[in-house]
Amino acid sequence: FCAGRLFEEYIPAYEKVFEGEFHPQGPCYGSYRYAWAMWFGLLIYSMSGERVLPPATVSTAESFVYLRRPDGEALRLGDDYNETKALYTHKNPFFVPLFLAAAYSGDALWSSESQKQFRREYLIPIAWSYDYYDEGSCGEGVISPAVYLIWDRLSPLGEERTLPSGRYFDFPVGATVYNDGERIVLMKIGCLWGANHDHLDTGCFQIYDGEILASDSGVYDSYGTPHRKNYTIHTVAHNCILVDGKGTRIPCGKKEPKTLDGWLSEYGMAKVISHIESDEIYAIEGDLTEAYGETCRSVIRKMKWEPNRGERGILTVFDRVDPLDGNSAVTFLIHTQSKPVIDGNVIVINGKNRDLVCRIQSPEAFKINLI
């Protein structure tokens, strides 16, 4: 009965949710749900010797490698509990999903990345005054001494691979992530909204260079807080576009889709028009009109990251917005960790060790509002 439901209902859903090898609900809840999918695959594989998961479901592990920051934490995307309450991650957010992916596939890269994040304390109850067996890694994190020992060498490891600095992740998210071990640049179009722990961040970008320079704002400390409902998940809390102060549409009143068909048909937000990945240029262009249909005839966002230009690289963001009301105010949002310094068309965001310099290229008439 259980296996039948998993094969008939979950496998088709996995094929779409993980199709682009990037979970719509971000590195926290995305990796958490990914781990449960891998549990299913591993249990069947352990009993039958057959790998039944769609290949893209397994290779979604790659996105977690790209989303891991050099300080050991994950890039902030969607609801993120690492900031506030997940003590058991200890700056090792992807040990469990990468361990399970390596056990299932034998991929040496994922095994190596998981071991970088492994701590022996994960297998000991009441470590650091925190009972992992009660509400830590052996429960929510789905790992235990028995699981670790049984699956650690379930699949023989192949040769370890090296990854390019950046790559594009296709539908349903549609995002490019650059990560050279120091700098991370996220350029997300957001084709389908993932509801639940996904945010209304169609067309967002983020920049990290040894520290957060341009990121989301707000904090996720509980699912039901007024702060989350009224701010954190909304477009205004991300590096996106507002039109007359309004963000993107909110599909189905924030309700989660009940069926795969419903998700595919009712939660569309954008389309990727083109993308480029090369040593010199990582670029993505998206049509965001569906997300902004309540206020605009058309919205196009182009993002281009050139890692070898300037001192530490240059990100160019170009928007072409056609509002329904020609008098509408179009706002380009950028969120910072410190108070910016404004000088004409230049905005300087001072970090602890790095600065982010923003230059407004167009239009000629603009107004900078510091909030």
Side-chain angles (χ1 to χ4, degrees):
F1 175 83
C2 293
R5 183 168 186 184
L6 287 163
F7 278 98
E8 291 176 13
E9 298 182 27
Y10 280 71
I11 290 288
Y14 287 161
E15 287 178 341
K16 285 299 179 184
V17 171
F18 296 102
E19 183 177 340
E21 302 178 352
F22 195 109
H23 199 283
Q25 296 194 359
C28 273
Y29 283 95
S31 65
Y32 178 64
R33 272 93 193 252
Y34 173 85
W36 295 112
M38 293 308 305
W39 260 88
F40 161 47
L42 278 163
L43 287 169
I44 299 296
Y45 177 45
S46 299
M47 291 187 288
S48 69
E50 295 186 30
R51 294 182 173 91
V52 299
L53 290 174
T57 300
V58 185
S59 53
T60 293
E62 205 106 302
S63 67
F64 305 137
V65 179
Y66 279 97
L67 290 170
R68 188 172 184 239
R69 298 186 336 204
D71 65 354
E73 296 207 22
L75 202 68
R76 307 298 190 222
L77 191 63
D79 285 342
D80 191 296
Y81 48 70
N82 285 326
E83 287 187 335
T84 55
K85 59 187 178 185
L87 301 179
Y88 55 83
T89 64
H90 292 288
K91 294 191 175 183
N92 301 288
F94 301 128
F95 163 63
V96 171
L98 288 170
F99 170 78
L100 298 177
Y104 185 89
S105 66
D107 190 292
L109 171 65
W110 301 338
S111 177
S112 172
E113 290 293 330
S114 73
Q115 291 304 312
K116 289 177 185 177
Q117 304 183 48
F118 175 64
R119 305 184 76 122
R120 289 179 297 171
E121 291 86 348
Y122 289 164
L123 307 182
I124 304 172
I126 319 179
W128 297 340
S129 302
Y130 194 77
D131 191 345
Y132 290 82
Y133 286 85
D134 176 38
E135 52 182 329
S137 287
C138 294
E140 292 291 291
V142 294
I143 199 71
S144 71
V147 168
Y148 183 81
L149 291 170
I150 291 170
W151 282 344
D152 186 38
R153 288 293 179 265
L154 178 65
S155 300
L157 296 180
E159 293 186 10
E160 186 163 340
R161 302 170 293 119
T162 56
L163 296 178
S165 295
R167 64 160 287 189
Y168 168 70
F169 297 90
D170 210 340
F171 181 90
V173 176
T176 297
V177 184
Y178 177 92
N179 187 340
D180 66 1
E182 295 183 350
R183 300 169 295 173
I184 305 179
V185 175
L186 167 74
M187 300 178 285
K188 175 186 173 183
I189 298 301
C191 302
L192 278 184
W193 187 51
N196 193 215
H197 294 291
D198 196 3
H199 288 184
L200 296 158
D201 57 359
T202 304
C204 76
F205 64 88
Q206 294 188 34
I207 302 172
Y208 181 99
D209 187 0
E211 59 190 298
I212 298 170
L213 295 174
S215 185
D216 296 350
S217 65
V219 66
Y220 170 74
D221 50 10
S222 180
Y223 192 75
T225 62
H227 176 68
R228 180 189 178 276
K229 290 180 179 179
N230 298 315
Y231 182 75
T232 304
I233 70 168
H234 290 277
T235 309
V236 68
H238 304 82
N239 298 323
C240 296
I241 302 167
L242 299 180
V243 180
D244 281 339
K246 297 179 181 178
T248 67
R249 77 186 188 99
I250 305 174
C252 301
K254 298 184 189 176
K255 294 179 181 177
E256 293 180 71
K258 296 184 181 298
T259 65
L260 177 60
D261 288 341
W263 184 50
L264 295 174
S265 64
E266 298 174 8
Y267 290 75
M269 300 292 272
K271 296 179 176 65
V272 175
I273 298 173
S274 64
H275 58 93
I276 300 171
E277 299 81 48
S278 70
D279 291 339
E280 299 297 323
I281 294 176
Y282 293 84
I284 191 167
E285 179 179 359
D287 184 342
L288 282 52
T289 305
E290 193 169 6
Y292 288 91
E294 296 174 358
T295 56
C296 298
R297 294 184 188 87
S298 174
V299 176
I300 303 292
R301 169 162 276 197
K302 301 178 182 179
M303 295 177 277
K304 179 174 65 174
W305 165 244
E306 297 170 276
N308 300 320
R309 280 191 66 192
E311 293 183 20
R312 298 292 294 174
I314 294 177
L315 174 68
T316 304
V317 183
F318 174 78
D319 299 320
R320 188 168 67 247
V321 183
D322 182 11
L324 295 172
D325 182 349
N327 296 317
S328 293
V330 178
T331 303
F332 178 101
L333 295 168
I334 184 165
H335 291 266
T336 71
Q337 301 288 304
S338 61
K339 185 177 180 179
V341 178
I342 301 170
D343 183 11
N345 72 327
V346 177
I347 305 168
V348 179
I349 299 161
N350 297 119
K352 295 177 180 178
N353 300 298
R354 303 283 187 200
D355 296 337
L356 179 64
V357 180
C358 308
R359 292 183 176 86
I360 300 173
Q361 305 280 17
S362 67
E364 293 183 1
F366 61 86
K367 181 180 180 181
I368 299 174
N369 292 321
L370 183 61
I371 301 175

